[in-house]
């Protein structure tokens, strides 16, 4: 009997890192997580009340419009206009999270064999999606300050390049890219006739005077800029899987095909919660920013106070610190030992493409005062013990 073969394409795709970390945490159930990028709060109570009221509605149990509810799309269009200064030249599409928005965008603008420029360290799901789409990720390292090197990006563009991907505020580094940097990348895209896919899931999470900038607001950008957003982070809706994107009108038909095939429509109940959350507005999210900033400050102080041989990258956004560790241990071994021996979980840096040296991503968005000190004490002790610091 001949066994069916596996997909050659999928053999190039890395295994999801969260599964690796989650499996270890299940074996050690008292572990405190500094791994997954989530916040400690949930959606507005008013949104949950609306969800409860509409659960029995017949519309909730039926298929919806492939691009999302019209009233939700209108609300998102208004938000994008007021907060992000995106003009009406874009089409708004509701998706099952920002990851789905990225994958749909990728499928809409590339063909198998095309190239997509990812900046290293990249978000691992972007790199995975690029392989799954049959494209080649072209990896361009950030400069020493972990910000985009415009000249290096320019040199990486070939006749097969179809898109440049940016994430600001950044995952995994937490760095917020300057408006001029993002404008420069948009100018490259204009010059070469390629797309700029701008992932802005962490748009509200900025500190110390940093400001988020949406490159899609640049003059003429709507012809080639795809802007991705998420309700997961700011509104605490990770499990509801609800994101959205602003896309050039000329790719809307292809996005519609992809959406219909992949998910038929965004979940109706999730759209109801999102619409009610938007009625609360960004002020709901902002009320948590001061406490998040305080947590961030304490995490940074503790990292700077350790005797472990670490270097903490500058971070003024998202809820991450990216740390270089001077050790002979590789990142996955270090993460494994931190969970097994010290009860604290972080994410190994090699999953973000940083395989030269040992790097860790530390996520503090889910921490509250009750877990903050214990989590950081475990991490610091673990790093000092495992590195001999």
């Amino acid at each position: 009997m001949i066994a069916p073969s596996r997909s050659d394409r999928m053999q190039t795709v890395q295994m999801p890192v969260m599964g690796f970390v989650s499996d270890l945490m299940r074996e050690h159930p008292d572990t405190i997580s500094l791994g997954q990028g989530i916040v400690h709060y949930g959606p507005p109570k008013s949104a949950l009340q609306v969800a409860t009221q509409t659960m029995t509605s017949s519309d909730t149990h039926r298929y919806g419009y492939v691009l999302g509810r019209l009233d939700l799309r209108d609300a998102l269009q208004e938000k994008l206009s007021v907060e992000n200064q995106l003009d009406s030249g874009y089409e708004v599409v509701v998706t099952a999270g920002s990851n789905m928005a990225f994958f749909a965008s990728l499928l809409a603008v590339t063909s198998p064999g095309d190239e997509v420029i990812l900046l290293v360290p990249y978000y691992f799901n972007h790199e995975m999606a690029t392989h799954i789409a049959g494209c080649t990720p072209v990896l361009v390292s950030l400069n020493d300050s972990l910000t985009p090197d415009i000249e290096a990006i320019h040199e990486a563009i070939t006749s097969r390049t179809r898109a440049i991907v940016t994430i600001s505020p950044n995952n995994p580094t937490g760095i917020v890219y300057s408006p001029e940097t993002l404008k420069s990348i948009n100018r490259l895209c204009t010059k070469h006739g390629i797309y700029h896919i701008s992932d802005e899931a962490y748009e509200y999470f900025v500190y110390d005077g940093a400001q988020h900038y949406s490159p899609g607001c640049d003059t003429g950008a709507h012809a080639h800029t795809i802007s991705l957003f998420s309700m997961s982070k700011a509104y605490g809706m990770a499990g509801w899987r609800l994101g959205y994107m602003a896309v050039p009108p000329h790719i809307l038909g292809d996005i519609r095909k992809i959406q219909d095939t992949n998910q038929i429509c965004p979940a109706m109940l999730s759209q109801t919660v999102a619409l009610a959350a938007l009625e609360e507005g960004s002020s709901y999210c902002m009320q948590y920013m001061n406490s998040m900033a305080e947590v961030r400050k304490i995490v940074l102080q503790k990292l700077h106070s350790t005797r472990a041989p670490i270097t903490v990258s500058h971070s003024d956004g998202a809820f991450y610190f990216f740390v270089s560790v001077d050790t002979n241990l590789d990142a996955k071994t270090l993460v494994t030992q931190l969970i097994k021996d010290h009860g604290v979980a972080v994410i190994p840096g090699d999953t973000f493409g940083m395989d030269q040296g040992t790097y860790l991503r530390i996520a503090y968005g889910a921490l509250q005062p009750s877990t903050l000190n214990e989590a950081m004490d475990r991490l610091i002790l673990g790093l000092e013990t495992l590195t001999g610091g």
Side-chain angles (χ1 to χ4, degrees), residues 180-197:
E180 184 51 43
T181 293
L182 293 167
K183 286 174 182 285
S184 295
I185 292 172
N186 246 350
R187 286 194 290 267
L188 281 180
C189 293
T190 301
K191 177 180 178 181
H192 292 276
I194 58 181
Y195 291 92
H196 182 181
I197 303 179

Side-chain angles (χ1 to χ4, degrees), residues 9-18 122-129 131-132 332 348-353:
R9 180 179 66 250
M10 293 306 297
Q11 305 319 301
T12 65
V13 181
Q14 64 169 301
M15 289 298 293
V17 70
M18 294 313 304
Y122 47 68
Y123 172 44
F124 50 83
N125 281 146
H126 287 174
E127 189 258 0
M128 294 165 69
H131 281 296
I132 293 172
K332 281 192 172 65
D350 54 358
T351 197
F352 304 100

Side-chain angles (χ1 to χ4, degrees), residues 47-56 269:
L48 297 178
Q49 289 170 352
V50 171
T52 301
Q53 294 164 4
T54 58
M55 279 186 66
T56 57
L269 189 59

Side-chain angles (χ1 to χ4, degrees), residues 241-354:
R241 307 313 306 134
L242 205 291
Y244 57 103
M245 56 181 171
V247 304
H250 66 269
I251 68 169
L252 184 64
D254 291 332
I255 292 289
R256 183 193 296 262
K257 299 173 190 175
I258 296 160
Q259 280 263 108
D260 188 75
T261 303
N262 239 1
Q263 61 184 93
I264 299 181
C265 68
M268 295 300 288
L269 189 59
S270 296
Q271 291 188 75
T272 297
V273 175
L275 182 60
L278 286 171
E279 291 173 357
E280 292 276 342
S282 60
S283 60
Y284 174 77
C285 315
M286 294 307 174
Q287 68 180 306
Y288 295 103
M289 291 305 108
N290 287 339
S291 61
M292 190 79 74
E294 284 301 311
V295 168
R296 171 181 175 272
K297 181 179 178 181
I298 293 170
V299 170
L300 189 58
Q301 287 174 344
K302 288 183 174 289
L303 289 174
H304 282 160
S305 69
T306 181
R307 298 189 307 273
I310 66 172
T311 302
V312 184
S313 68
H314 170 74
S315 170
D316 48 12
F319 33 74
Y320 304 118
F321 286 111
F322 204 58
V323 176
S324 171
V325 186
D326 186 4
T327 176
N328 291 325
L329 298 175
D330 64 82
K332 281 192 172 65
T333 299
L334 183 56
V335 167
T336 299
Q337 295 307 120
L338 284 171
I339 294 173
K340 286 184 175 181
D341 299 339
H342 299 278
V344 62
V346 292
I347 301 299
D350 54 358
T351 197
F352 304 100
M354 299 292 281

Side-chain angles (χ1 to χ4, degrees), residues 205-241:
F205 297 89
V206 290
Y207 318 99
D208 296 341
Q211 292 187 326
H212 169 68
Y213 181 78
S214 294
C217 74
D218 293 347
T219 302
H222 66 267
H224 65 266
T225 305
I226 301 170
S227 304
L228 314 180
F229 301 89
S230 173
M231 301 294 287
S232 296
K233 312 302 180 184
Y235 287 94
M237 289 180 56
W240 293 88
R241 307 313 306 134

Side-chain angles (χ1 to χ4, degrees), residues 32-34 38-40 295 299 363-369 371-372 375-376:
I32 299 176
S33 179
L34 294 170
I38 56 175
V39 295
H40 69 269
V295 168
V299 170
Y364 55 85
L367 292 179
Q368 299 185 68
T371 55
L372 171 58
M376 291 308 299

